[in-house]
Amino acid sequence: MNEIITLIIPVLGLLATATSIVLPVRESRAVRQKKALSYGIISQVPLVSVAEQVRSQLQLTYQGQPVGNVHAVELRVTNTGNVPIPAADFEKP
């Protein structure tokens, strides 16, 4: 009986030590403050559709530069972090 107890006590001490190290590290990672943004495409719609017969005769430009495949894209941007993101963080580069 004493032999079993002398084997169990060091094992329990080792488990208690490991638990006291692992749990605080895990908790600190869980409560770490982080900023994160995620986005998803809600819709994507072509703005211009040109028939093949007239495509070679038509040029679409934006500020003097030719463009093609113009689409309107609706995005949903979500704060997926655990702290607020102030407007100053993203309004200007």
Side-chain angles (χ1 to χ4, degrees):
M1 183 72 168
N2 280 341
E3 294 170 2
I4 294 174
I5 292 174
T6 57
L7 288 175
I8 291 177
I9 291 176
V11 170
L12 290 177
L14 183 62
L15 287 174
T17 302
T19 302
S20 67
I21 293 171
V22 170
L23 287 180
V25 170
R26 186 173 152 209
E27 286 297 316
S28 71
R29 287 185 180 170
V31 296
R32 184 177 299 153
Q33 294 184 344
K34 68 176 183 173
K35 295 178 185 177
L37 288 177
S38 297
Y39 73 93
I41 297 175
I42 305 301
S43 67
Q44 182 176 356
V45 180
L47 293 180
V48 178
S49 178
V50 179
E52 193 67 39
Q53 298 89 337
V54 292
R55 188 168 291 164
S56 63
Q57 301 168 7
L58 182 68
Q59 183 178 24
L60 181 62
T61 63
Y62 176 73
Q63 295 184 345
Q65 298 295 318
V67 295
N69 297 324
V70 181
H71 287 73
V73 179
E74 181 182 359
L75 299 174
R76 174 177 289 138
V77 179
T78 307
N79 180 357
T80 53
N82 56 6
V83 294
I85 299 174
D89 283 359
F90 59 84
E91 283 184 335
K92 293 184 180 179

Coordinates of all heavy atoms in Angstrom, one line a residue:
M1 N 0.8 -1.2 0.0 CA 0.0 0.0 0.0 C 0.9 1.3 0.0 O 0.6 2.2 -0.7 CB -0.9 0.0 1.2 CG -1.9 1.1 1.3 SD -3.1 0.9 0.0 CE -4.2 2.1 0.6
N2 N 1.9 1.3 0.8 CA 2.8 2.4 0.9 C 3.5 2.6 -0.5 O 3.8 3.7 -0.9 CB 3.9 2.3 2.0 CG 3.3 2.6 3.3 OD1 2.3 3.3 3.4 ND2 3.9 2.2 4.4
E3 N 3.8 1.5 -1.2 CA 4.5 1.6 -2.5 C 3.6 2.3 -3.5 O 4.0 3.1 -4.3 CB 4.9 0.2 -3.0 CG 5.9 -0.5 -2.1 CD 6.1 -1.9 -2.5 OE1 5.4 -2.4 -3.4 OE2 6.9 -2.6 -1.8
I4 N 2.3 2.0 -3.5 CA 1.4 2.6 -4.4 C 1.3 4.1 -4.1 O 1.3 5.0 -5.0 CB 0.0 2.0 -4.3 CG1 0.1 0.5 -4.8 CG2 -1.1 2.8 -5.1 CD1 -1.2 -0.3 -4.6
I5 N 1.2 4.5 -2.8 CA 1.1 5.9 -2.4 C 2.4 6.6 -2.9 O 2.3 7.8 -3.4 CB 0.8 6.0 -0.9 CG1 -0.6 5.5 -0.6 CG2 1.0 7.5 -0.5 CD1 -0.9 5.5 0.8
T6 N 3.5 6.0 -2.7 CA 4.8 6.7 -3.1 C 4.9 6.9 -4.6 O 5.6 7.7 -5.0 CB 6.0 5.9 -2.5 OG1 6.0 4.6 -3.0 CG2 6.0 5.9 -1.0
L7 N 4.2 6.1 -5.3 CA 4.2 6.2 -6.8 C 3.1 7.3 -7.2 O 3.3 8.0 -8.2 CB 3.9 4.9 -7.5 CG 5.0 3.8 -7.4 CD1 4.5 2.5 -8.0 CD2 6.2 4.3 -8.2
I8 N 2.0 7.3 -6.5 CA 0.9 8.2 -6.9 C 1.2 9.6 -6.6 O 0.9 10.5 -7.4 CB -0.4 7.7 -6.2 CG1 -0.9 6.4 -6.8 CG2 -1.5 8.8 -6.4 CD1 -2.1 5.9 -6.2
I9 N 1.8 9.9 -5.5 CA 2.1 11.3 -5.0 C 3.0 12.0 -6.0 O 2.6 13.1 -6.5 CB 2.7 11.3 -3.6 CG1 1.6 10.9 -2.6 CG2 3.2 12.7 -3.3 CD1 2.0 10.8 -1.2
P10 N 4.1 11.5 -6.5 CA 4.9 12.2 -7.5 C 4.1 12.4 -8.8 O 4.3 13.5 -9.5 CB 6.1 11.3 -7.8 CG 6.2 10.5 -6.6 CD 4.8 10.3 -6.1
V11 N 3.3 11.5 -9.2 CA 2.5 11.6 -10.5 C 1.5 12.7 -10.3 O 1.4 13.6 -11.2 CB 1.9 10.3 -10.8 CG1 0.9 10.5 -12.0 CG2 2.9 9.2 -11.2
L12 N 0.8 12.8 -9.2 CA -0.1 13.9 -8.9 C 0.6 15.2 -8.9 O 0.1 16.2 -9.4 CB -0.9 13.6 -7.6 CG -1.9 12.5 -7.6 CD1 -2.5 12.3 -6.3 CD2 -2.9 12.7 -8.7
G13 N 1.8 15.3 -8.3 CA 2.5 16.5 -8.3 C 2.9 17.0 -9.7 O 2.9 18.2 -10.0
L14 N 3.3 16.0 -10.5 CA 3.7 16.3 -11.9 C 2.5 16.8 -12.7 O 2.6 17.8 -13.4 CB 4.3 15.1 -12.6 CG 4.8 15.3 -14.0 CD1 5.9 16.3 -14.0 CD2 5.2 13.9 -14.5
L15 N 1.3 16.2 -12.5 CA 0.1 16.7 -13.1 C -0.3 18.1 -12.7 O -0.7 18.9 -13.5 CB -1.1 15.7 -12.9 CG -1.0 14.3 -13.7 CD1 -2.1 13.4 -13.2 CD2 -1.1 14.6 -15.1
A16 N -0.2 18.3 -11.4 CA -0.5 19.6 -10.9 C 0.4 20.7 -11.4 O 0.0 21.8 -11.8 CB -0.5 19.6 -9.3
T17 N 1.7 20.4 -11.5 CA 2.6 21.3 -12.1 C 2.3 21.6 -13.6 O 2.3 22.8 -14.0 CB 4.1 20.8 -11.9 OG1 4.3 20.6 -10.5 CG2 5.1 21.8 -12.5
A18 N 2.1 20.6 -14.3 CA 1.8 20.7 -15.8 C 0.5 21.5 -16.0 O 0.4 22.4 -16.8 CB 1.7 19.4 -16.4
T19 N -0.5 21.3 -15.1 CA -1.8 22.0 -15.2 C -1.5 23.5 -14.9 O -2.1 24.4 -15.6 CB -2.8 21.4 -14.3 OG1 -3.0 20.0 -14.6 CG2 -4.1 22.1 -14.4
S20 N -0.7 23.8 -13.9 CA -0.5 25.2 -13.5 C 0.3 25.9 -14.5 O 0.3 27.1 -14.6 CB 0.2 25.2 -12.1 OG 1.5 24.7 -12.2
I21 N 1.0 25.2 -15.4 CA 1.7 25.9 -16.5 C 0.8 26.0 -17.7 O 0.8 27.1 -18.4 CB 3.0 25.1 -16.8 CG1 4.0 25.2 -15.7 CG2 3.6 25.6 -18.1 CD1 5.2 24.3 -15.8
V22 N 0.1 25.0 -18.1 CA -0.6 24.9 -19.4 C -1.8 25.8 -19.3 O -2.1 26.6 -20.3 CB -1.0 23.5 -19.7 CG1 -2.0 23.4 -20.9 CG2 0.2 22.7 -20.0
L23 N -2.6 25.8 -18.2 CA -3.9 26.6 -18.2 C -3.6 28.1 -18.3 O -4.3 28.8 -19.1 CB -4.7 26.2 -16.9 CG -5.3 24.9 -17.0 CD1 -6.1 24.6 -15.7 CD2 -6.3 24.8 -18.2
P24 N -2.7 28.7 -17.6 CA -2.5 30.1 -17.7 C -2.1 30.5 -19.1 O -2.5 31.6 -19.7 CB -1.4 30.5 -16.7 CG -1.5 29.4 -15.7 CD -1.9 28.2 -16.4
V25 N -1.2 29.7 -19.8 CA -0.8 30.0 -21.2 C -2.0 30.0 -22.1 O -2.2 30.8 -22.9 CB 0.3 29.0 -21.6 CG1 0.6 29.2 -23.1 CG2 1.6 29.3 -20.8
R26 N -2.8 29.0 -21.9 CA -4.0 28.8 -22.8 C -5.0 30.0 -22.5 O -5.5 30.5 -23.5 CB -4.7 27.5 -22.5 CG -5.8 27.1 -23.4 CD -6.3 25.7 -23.1 NE -7.7 25.7 -23.5 CZ -8.6 24.9 -22.9 NH1 -8.2 24.0 -22.0 NH2 -9.8 24.9 -23.3
E27 N -5.2 30.3 -21.3 CA -6.1 31.5 -21.0 C -5.6 32.8 -21.5 O -6.3 33.6 -22.1 CB -6.3 31.6 -19.5 CG -7.2 30.5 -18.9 CD -8.6 30.5 -19.5 OE1 -9.2 31.6 -19.6 OE2 -9.1 29.5 -19.8
S28 N -4.3 33.0 -21.5 CA -3.7 34.3 -22.0 C -3.9 34.4 -23.5 O -4.1 35.4 -24.0 CB -2.3 34.4 -21.6 OG -1.5 33.5 -22.3
R29 N -3.8 33.3 -24.2 CA -4.0 33.3 -25.6 C -5.5 33.5 -25.9 O -5.8 34.2 -26.9 CB -3.6 32.0 -26.2 CG -2.1 31.8 -26.3 CD -1.7 30.6 -27.0 NE -0.2 30.5 -27.1 CZ 0.4 29.4 -27.5 NH1 -0.2 28.4 -27.9 NH2 1.7 29.4 -27.5
A30 N -6.4 33.0 -25.1 CA -7.8 33.2 -25.4 C -8.3 34.6 -25.2 O -9.2 35.1 -25.9 CB -8.6 32.2 -24.5
V31 N -7.7 35.3 -24.2 CA -8.1 36.7 -23.9 C -7.2 37.8 -24.6 O -7.4 38.9 -24.3 CB -8.2 36.9 -22.4 CG1 -9.3 36.1 -21.8 CG2 -6.9 36.8 -21.7
R32 N -6.2 37.4 -25.3 CA -5.4 38.3 -26.0 C -6.2 39.2 -26.9 O -7.0 38.8 -27.7 CB -4.3 37.6 -26.8 CG -3.3 38.5 -27.5 CD -2.3 37.8 -28.2 NE -1.5 36.9 -27.3 CZ -0.9 35.8 -27.7 NH1 -1.0 35.4 -28.9 NH2 -0.2 35.1 -26.8
Q33 N -6.0 40.5 -26.8 CA -6.7 41.4 -27.6 C -6.1 41.5 -29.0 O -4.9 41.6 -29.2 CB -6.7 42.8 -27.0 CG -7.4 42.9 -25.7 CD -7.5 44.3 -25.1 OE1 -6.7 45.2 -25.5 NE2 -8.3 44.5 -24.2
K34 N -7.0 41.4 -30.0 CA -6.6 41.4 -31.4 C -7.6 42.1 -32.3 O -8.8 42.0 -32.0 CB -6.3 40.0 -31.9 CG -7.5 39.1 -32.1 CD -7.1 37.8 -32.8 CE -8.3 37.0 -33.0 NZ -8.1 35.8 -33.7
K35 N -7.1 42.8 -33.2 CA -7.9 43.5 -34.2 C -7.9 42.6 -35.5 O -6.9 42.1 -35.9 CB -7.4 44.8 -34.6 CG -7.4 45.8 -33.5 CD -6.8 47.1 -34.0 CE -6.7 48.1 -32.8 NZ -6.1 49.4 -33.3
A36 N -9.1 42.3 -36.0 CA -9.2 41.5 -37.2 C -10.4 41.9 -38.0 O -11.5 42.1 -37.4 CB -9.2 40.0 -36.9
L37 N -10.3 42.0 -39.3 CA -11.4 42.2 -40.2 C -11.5 41.0 -41.1 O -10.6 40.5 -41.6 CB -11.2 43.5 -41.1 CG -11.2 44.8 -40.4 CD1 -10.9 45.9 -41.3 CD2 -12.6 45.0 -39.8
S38 N -12.8 40.7 -41.4 CA -13.1 39.7 -42.4 C -14.1 40.3 -43.4 O -14.8 41.2 -43.1 CB -13.7 38.4 -41.8 OG -12.8 37.9 -40.9
Y39 N -14.1 39.8 -44.6 CA -15.0 40.3 -45.6 C -15.6 39.1 -46.4 O -15.1 38.1 -46.5 CB -14.4 41.3 -46.6 CG -13.5 40.7 -47.6 CD1 -13.9 40.3 -48.8 CD2 -12.1 40.4 -47.3 CE1 -13.1 39.7 -49.7 CE2 -11.3 39.8 -48.2 CZ -11.8 39.5 -49.4 OH -10.9 38.9 -50.3
G40 N -16.8 39.4 -46.9 CA -17.5 38.4 -47.8 C -18.2 39.2 -48.9 O -18.6 40.3 -48.7
I41 N -18.2 38.6 -50.1 CA -18.9 39.2 -51.2 C -20.3 38.8 -51.1 O -20.7 37.7 -51.1 CB -18.3 38.7 -52.5 CG1 -16.8 39.1 -52.6 CG2 -19.0 39.2 -53.7 CD1 -16.0 38.6 -53.8
I42 N -21.2 39.9 -51.1 CA -22.6 39.7 -51.0 C -23.2 39.5 -52.4 O -24.0 38.7 -52.7 CB -23.3 40.9 -50.3 CG1 -22.7 41.2 -48.9 CG2 -24.8 40.7 -50.2 CD1 -22.8 40.0 -48.0
S43 N -22.8 40.4 -53.3 CA -23.2 40.3 -54.7 C -22.2 40.9 -55.6 O -21.4 41.8 -55.2 CB -24.6 41.0 -54.9 OG -24.4 42.4 -54.7
Q44 N -22.2 40.4 -56.8 CA -21.3 40.9 -57.9 C -22.1 40.9 -59.2 O -22.5 39.9 -59.7 CB -20.1 40.0 -58.0 CG -19.0 40.4 -59.0 CD -17.8 39.5 -58.9 OE1 -17.7 38.6 -58.1 NE2 -16.9 39.8 -59.8
V45 N -22.2 42.2 -59.7 CA -23.1 42.3 -60.9 C -22.3 43.1 -62.0 O -21.8 44.1 -61.7 CB -24.4 43.1 -60.5 CG1 -25.3 43.3 -61.7 CG2 -25.1 42.4 -59.4
P46 N -22.3 42.6 -63.2 CA -21.6 43.4 -64.3 C -22.5 44.6 -64.5 O -23.7 44.6 -64.6 CB -21.7 42.4 -65.5 CG -22.5 41.3 -65.1 CD -22.8 41.3 -63.6
L47 N -21.7 45.8 -64.7 CA -22.4 47.0 -65.0 C -22.6 47.3 -66.5 O -23.6 48.0 -66.8 CB -21.6 48.2 -64.4 CG -21.5 48.3 -62.9 CD1 -20.7 49.5 -62.4 CD2 -22.9 48.3 -62.3
V48 N -21.8 46.7 -67.3 CA -21.9 46.9 -68.7 C -21.9 45.5 -69.4 O -21.0 44.7 -69.1 CB -20.7 47.7 -69.2 CG1 -20.8 47.9 -70.7 CG2 -20.7 49.1 -68.5
S49 N -22.8 45.4 -70.3 CA -22.8 44.2 -71.1 C -22.9 44.6 -72.6 O -23.8 45.3 -73.0 CB -24.0 43.3 -70.8 OG -24.1 42.2 -71.6
V50 N -21.9 44.2 -73.3 CA -21.8 44.7 -74.7 C -21.8 43.4 -75.6 O -21.1 42.4 -75.4 CB -20.4 45.4 -75.0 CG1 -20.3 45.9 -76.4 CG2 -20.3 46.6 -74.0
A51 N -22.7 43.5 -76.6 CA -22.8 42.5 -77.6 C -21.5 42.3 -78.3 O -20.8 43.2 -78.6 CB -23.9 42.8 -78.6
E52 N -21.2 41.0 -78.7 CA -20.0 40.7 -79.4 C -19.8 41.4 -80.7 O -18.7 41.8 -81.0 CB -20.0 39.2 -79.6 CG -18.6 38.6 -80.0 CD -17.6 38.7 -78.9 OE1 -17.9 38.5 -77.8 OE2 -16.4 39.0 -79.3
Q53 N -20.9 41.7 -81.4 CA -20.8 42.4 -82.7 C -20.3 43.8 -82.6 O -19.7 44.3 -83.5 CB -22.2 42.5 -83.3 CG -22.9 41.1 -83.6 CD -23.7 40.6 -82.5 OE1 -23.5 41.0 -81.3 NE2 -24.6 39.7 -82.8
V54 N -20.5 44.5 -81.5 CA -20.1 45.9 -81.3 C -18.9 46.1 -80.4 O -18.4 47.2 -80.2 CB -21.3 46.8 -80.9 CG1 -22.3 46.9 -82.0 CG2 -21.8 46.4 -79.6
R55 N -18.5 45.0 -79.8 CA -17.4 45.1 -78.8 C -16.1 45.8 -79.4 O -15.5 46.6 -78.7 CB -17.1 43.8 -78.2 CG -16.1 43.8 -77.0 CD -16.0 42.5 -76.3 NE -17.3 42.3 -75.6 CZ -17.7 41.2 -75.1 NH1 -17.0 40.1 -75.2 NH2 -18.9 41.1 -74.5
S56 N -15.8 45.5 -80.6 CA -14.6 46.0 -81.2 C -14.8 47.5 -81.5 O -13.8 48.2 -81.8 CB -14.2 45.2 -82.4 OG -15.2 45.3 -83.4
Q57 N -16.0 48.0 -81.6 CA -16.2 49.4 -82.0 C -16.5 50.3 -80.8 O -16.6 51.5 -80.9 CB -17.5 49.4 -82.9 CG -17.3 48.6 -84.1 CD -18.7 48.5 -84.9 OE1 -19.7 49.1 -84.5 NE2 -18.6 47.7 -85.9
L58 N -16.5 49.7 -79.6 CA -16.8 50.4 -78.4 C -15.6 50.4 -77.4 O -14.9 49.4 -77.2 CB -18.0 49.8 -77.7 CG -18.5 50.5 -76.4 CD1 -19.2 51.8 -76.8 CD2 -19.6 49.6 -75.8
Q59 N -15.4 51.6 -76.8 CA -14.3 51.7 -75.8 C -14.9 52.3 -74.6 O -15.4 53.4 -74.6 CB -13.1 52.5 -76.3 CG -12.0 52.5 -75.3 CD -10.7 53.3 -75.8 OE1 -10.9 54.1 -76.7 NE2 -9.6 53.0 -75.3
L60 N -14.7 51.6 -73.4 CA -15.2 52.1 -72.2 C -14.0 52.6 -71.4 O -13.0 51.9 -71.3 CB -15.9 51.0 -71.4 CG -16.5 51.4 -70.0 CD1 -17.6 52.5 -70.2 CD2 -17.1 50.2 -69.4
T61 N -14.0 53.9 -70.9 CA -12.9 54.5 -70.2 C -13.3 55.0 -68.8 O -14.5 55.4 -68.6 CB -12.2 55.6 -71.0 OG1 -13.2 56.7 -71.1 CG2 -11.7 55.1 -72.3
Y62 N -12.3 55.1 -67.9 CA -12.5 55.7 -66.6 C -11.3 56.6 -66.4 O -10.2 56.1 -66.4 CB -12.6 54.7 -65.5 CG -12.7 55.3 -64.1 CD1 -13.9 55.9 -63.7 CD2 -11.6 55.3 -63.3 CE1 -14.0 56.5 -62.5 CE2 -11.7 55.9 -62.0 CZ -12.9 56.5 -61.6 OH -12.9 57.1 -60.4
Q63 N -11.6 57.9 -66.3 CA -10.5 58.9 -66.2 C -9.5 58.8 -67.3 O -8.3 58.8 -67.1 CB -9.9 58.9 -64.8 CG -10.8 59.2 -63.7 CD -10.1 59.2 -62.3 OE1 -9.0 58.7 -62.1 NE2 -10.8 59.8 -61.3
G64 N -10.0 58.6 -68.5 CA -9.1 58.5 -69.6 C -8.4 57.1 -69.9 O -7.8 57.0 -70.8
Q65 N -8.6 56.2 -69.0 CA -8.0 54.9 -69.1 C -9.0 53.8 -69.5 O -10.1 53.8 -68.9 CB -7.4 54.5 -67.7 CG -6.3 55.4 -67.3 CD -5.1 55.4 -68.2 OE1 -4.6 54.4 -68.6 NE2 -4.5 56.6 -68.4
P66 N -8.7 53.0 -70.5 CA -9.6 52.0 -70.9 C -9.9 51.0 -69.8 O -8.9 50.6 -69.0 CB -8.9 51.3 -72.1 CG -7.8 52.1 -72.4 CD -7.5 53.0 -71.3
V67 N -11.1 50.6 -69.6 CA -11.5 49.5 -68.6 C -12.3 48.5 -69.3 O -12.9 48.7 -70.3 CB -12.2 50.2 -67.4 CG1 -11.3 51.1 -66.6 CG2 -13.5 50.9 -67.9
G68 N -12.4 47.3 -68.7 CA -13.2 46.3 -69.2 C -13.8 45.5 -68.0 O -13.3 45.6 -66.9
N69 N -14.8 44.7 -68.2 CA -15.4 43.9 -67.2 C -15.7 44.7 -65.9 O -15.3 44.3 -64.8 CB -14.5 42.7 -66.8 CG -14.3 41.8 -68.0 OD1 -15.2 41.6 -68.7 ND2 -13.1 41.2 -68.1
V70 N -16.4 45.8 -66.0 CA -16.8 46.6 -64.9 C -17.9 46.0 -64.1 O -18.9 45.6 -64.7 CB -17.2 48.0 -65.4 CG1 -17.5 48.9 -64.2 CG2 -16.1 48.7 -66.2
H71 N -17.7 45.8 -62.8 CA -18.7 45.2 -62.0 C -19.0 46.1 -60.8 O -18.1 46.8 -60.3 CB -18.2 43.8 -61.4 CG -18.2 42.8 -62.4 ND1 -17.2 42.7 -63.5 CD2 -18.9 41.7 -62.6 CE1 -17.4 41.6 -64.2 NE2 -18.5 41.0 -63.7
A72 N -20.2 46.0 -60.2 CA -20.6 46.5 -58.9 C -20.5 45.4 -58.0 O -21.1 44.3 -58.2 CB -22.0 47.1 -59.0
V73 N -19.7 45.6 -56.9 CA -19.5 44.5 -55.9 C -19.9 45.0 -54.5 O -19.5 46.1 -54.1 CB -18.0 44.1 -55.8 CG1 -17.8 43.0 -54.8 CG2 -17.5 43.7 -57.2
E74 N -20.8 44.3 -53.9 CA -21.3 44.6 -52.6 C -20.5 43.7 -51.6 O -20.6 42.5 -51.7 CB -22.8 44.4 -52.4 CG -23.3 44.8 -51.1 CD -24.8 44.5 -51.0 OE1 -25.4 44.1 -52.0 OE2 -25.4 44.7 -49.9
L75 N -19.8 44.3 -50.6 CA -19.1 43.6 -49.6 C -19.7 43.7 -48.3 O -20.2 44.8 -48.0 CB -17.6 44.1 -49.6 CG -16.8 44.0 -50.8 CD1 -15.4 44.6 -50.6 CD2 -16.5 42.5 -51.2
R76 N -19.5 42.8 -47.4 CA -19.8 42.9 -46.0 C -18.5 42.8 -45.3 O -17.8 41.7 -45.4 CB -20.8 41.8 -45.5 CG -21.0 41.9 -44.0 CD -22.0 40.9 -43.5 NE -23.3 41.3 -43.9 CZ -24.2 40.5 -44.4 NH1 -24.0 39.2 -44.5 NH2 -25.4 41.0 -44.7
V77 N -18.1 43.8 -44.5 CA -16.9 43.8 -43.7 C -17.3 43.7 -42.3 O -18.2 44.4 -41.8 CB -16.1 45.1 -44.0 CG1 -14.8 45.1 -43.1 CG2 -15.7 45.3 -45.4
T78 N -16.7 42.7 -41.6 CA -17.1 42.4 -40.2 C -15.8 42.4 -39.3 O -14.8 41.9 -39.7 CB -17.7 41.0 -40.1 OG1 -18.8 40.9 -41.1 CG2 -18.2 40.7 -38.7
N79 N -16.0 43.0 -38.1 CA -14.9 43.0 -37.1 C -14.9 41.6 -36.5 O -15.8 41.3 -35.7 CB -15.1 44.1 -36.1 CG -14.0 44.1 -35.0 OD1 -13.1 43.2 -35.0 ND2 -14.1 45.0 -34.1
T80 N -14.0 40.8 -36.8 CA -13.9 39.4 -36.2 C -12.9 39.3 -35.1 O -12.6 38.2 -34.6 CB -13.6 38.4 -37.3 OG1 -12.4 38.8 -38.0 CG2 -14.7 38.3 -38.3
G81 N -12.3 40.4 -34.7 CA -11.4 40.5 -33.6 C -12.2 40.6 -32.3 O -13.5 40.5 -32.3
N82 N -11.6 40.9 -31.2 CA -12.3 41.0 -30.0 C -12.1 42.4 -29.3 O -12.4 42.5 -28.1 CB -11.9 39.9 -29.0 CG -10.4 39.8 -28.7 OD1 -9.7 40.7 -29.2 ND2 -9.9 38.8 -28.0
V83 N -11.7 43.3 -30.1 CA -11.6 44.7 -29.7 C -12.2 45.6 -30.8 O -12.1 45.3 -32.0 CB -10.2 45.2 -29.3 CG1 -9.7 44.4 -28.1 CG2 -9.2 45.0 -30.5
P84 N -12.7 46.8 -30.4 CA -13.2 47.7 -31.4 C -12.1 48.2 -32.3 O -10.9 48.3 -31.9 CB -13.8 48.9 -30.6 CG -14.0 48.3 -29.3 CD -13.0 47.3 -29.1
I85 N -12.4 48.5 -33.6 CA -11.4 49.1 -34.5 C -11.8 50.5 -34.7 O -12.8 50.8 -35.4 CB -11.3 48.3 -35.8 CG1 -10.9 46.8 -35.5 CG2 -10.3 48.9 -36.8 CD1 -11.0 45.9 -36.7
P86 N -11.0 51.5 -34.3 CA -11.3 52.9 -34.5 C -11.2 53.3 -35.9 O -10.5 52.7 -36.7 CB -10.3 53.6 -33.6 CG -9.3 52.7 -33.2 CD -9.8 51.3 -33.5
A87 N -12.1 54.2 -36.3 CA -12.1 54.7 -37.7 C -10.7 55.2 -38.2 O -10.3 55.0 -39.4 CB -13.1 55.8 -37.9
A88 N -9.9 55.7 -37.3 CA -8.6 56.2 -37.7 C -7.7 55.1 -38.2 O -6.7 55.4 -38.9 CB -8.0 56.9 -36.4
D89 N -8.0 53.9 -37.8 CA -7.2 52.8 -38.3 C -7.4 52.4 -39.8 O -6.5 51.8 -40.4 CB -7.5 51.5 -37.5 CG -6.8 51.5 -36.1 OD1 -6.1 52.5 -35.8 OD2 -7.0 50.5 -35.4
F90 N -8.5 52.9 -40.4 CA -8.7 52.5 -41.8 C -9.2 53.6 -42.7 O -9.3 53.4 -43.9 CB -9.7 51.4 -41.8 CG -11.1 51.6 -41.2 CD1 -12.0 52.3 -41.9 CD2 -11.3 51.3 -39.9 CE1 -13.3 52.6 -41.4 CE2 -12.5 51.5 -39.3 CZ -13.5 52.2 -40.1
E91 N -9.4 54.8 -42.2 CA -9.9 55.9 -43.0 C -8.9 56.4 -44.0 O -9.2 56.7 -45.1 CB -10.5 57.1 -42.2 CG -11.8 56.7 -41.6 CD -12.4 57.9 -40.8 OE1 -11.6 58.8 -40.4 OE2 -13.6 58.0 -40.7
K92 N -7.6 56.6 -43.5 CA -6.6 57.1 -44.4 C -5.4 56.2 -44.3 O -5.1 55.7 -43.2 CB -6.2 58.5 -44.0 CG -7.3 59.5 -44.3 CD -6.9 60.9 -44.0 CE -8.0 61.9 -44.3 NZ -7.6 63.2 -43.9
P93 N -4.6 56.0 -45.4 CA -3.4 55.2 -45.3 C -2.3 55.8 -44.5 O -2.3 57.0 -44.3 CB -3.0 55.0 -46.7 CG -3.8 55.9 -47.6 CD -4.9 56.4 -46.7

